[in-house]
Amino acid sequence: MPEIASTPETRPFWDGIAAGELRLQRCDECLRSVFYPRAICPHCHCDRLSWRTASGKGTVYSYTVAHRVAGGFSAQVPYTIALIDLDEGPRMLSRVIGDAPVRIGDRVHLEIARLEGESSPELPCFRVTTA
């Protein structure tokens, strides 16, 4: 699997993943967190965005289990893809890894993973938090 291509806008995000943390942009005007990385705030259209390290915690908003795929990840079926409401506000699409069943409302935490072996890029994934 090739390395993920980054742009000047996304480089801090991928540098954070390489460092084991989730970095989000935060608008310096309205103070809302932003995901996916971009040049202007989608809430107030300010162009002053700074990077912050997020908690890496969130809640499952919705999910689906892939049982059939075309192309990549075919050796991993079934696997779970979820919309995660991050504690900082944004919603992000990600894989949920691990053996725990996933339900809407489950708390999850960030786990950086290589999904296709050592030659694959590190990706932000989540794991169900067990209390």
Side-chain angles (χ1 to χ4, degrees), residues 89-113:
R91 180 173 289 159
M92 96 183 262
L93 182 68
S94 185
R95 285 273 299 269
V96 177
I97 58 176
D99 295 329
V102 177
R103 294 186 232 343
I104 292 172
D106 279 349
R107 292 290 294 164
V108 292
H109 63 274
L110 177 72
E111 190 165 310
I112 308 300

Side-chain angles (χ1 to χ4, degrees), residues 1 9 21-22 27 30 36 58 64 72 78 80 88 97 112 120:
M1 188 177 246
E9 288 172 351
E21 59 190 33
L22 180 62
C27 177
C30 71
Y36 56 90
T64 190
T80 303
E88 290 77 14
I97 58 176
I112 308 300
S120 68

Side-chain angles (χ1 to χ4, degrees), residues 9-83:
E9 288 172 351
T10 64
R11 175 70 2 210
F13 174 81
W14 292 112
D15 288 346
I17 296 303
E21 59 190 33
L22 180 62
R23 294 180 187 164
L24 300 175
Q25 289 174 301
R26 182 172 169 202
C27 177
D28 295 338
E29 181 67 27
C30 71
L31 305 179
R32 292 177 72 178
S33 293
V34 174
F35 183 83
Y36 56 90
R38 58 191 89 192
I40 64 168
C41 174
H43 310 290
C44 73
H45 307 290
C46 176
D47 64 354
R48 294 186 321 274
L49 298 168
S50 54
W51 287 92
R52 311 283 171 125
T53 299
S55 67
K57 297 177 183 175
T59 304
V60 174
Y61 172 79
S62 185
Y63 72 94
T64 190
V65 177
H67 292 276
R68 295 176 57 176
V69 295
F73 306 124
S74 60
Q76 299 177 26
V77 291
Y79 59 86
T80 303
I81 305 164
L83 288 169

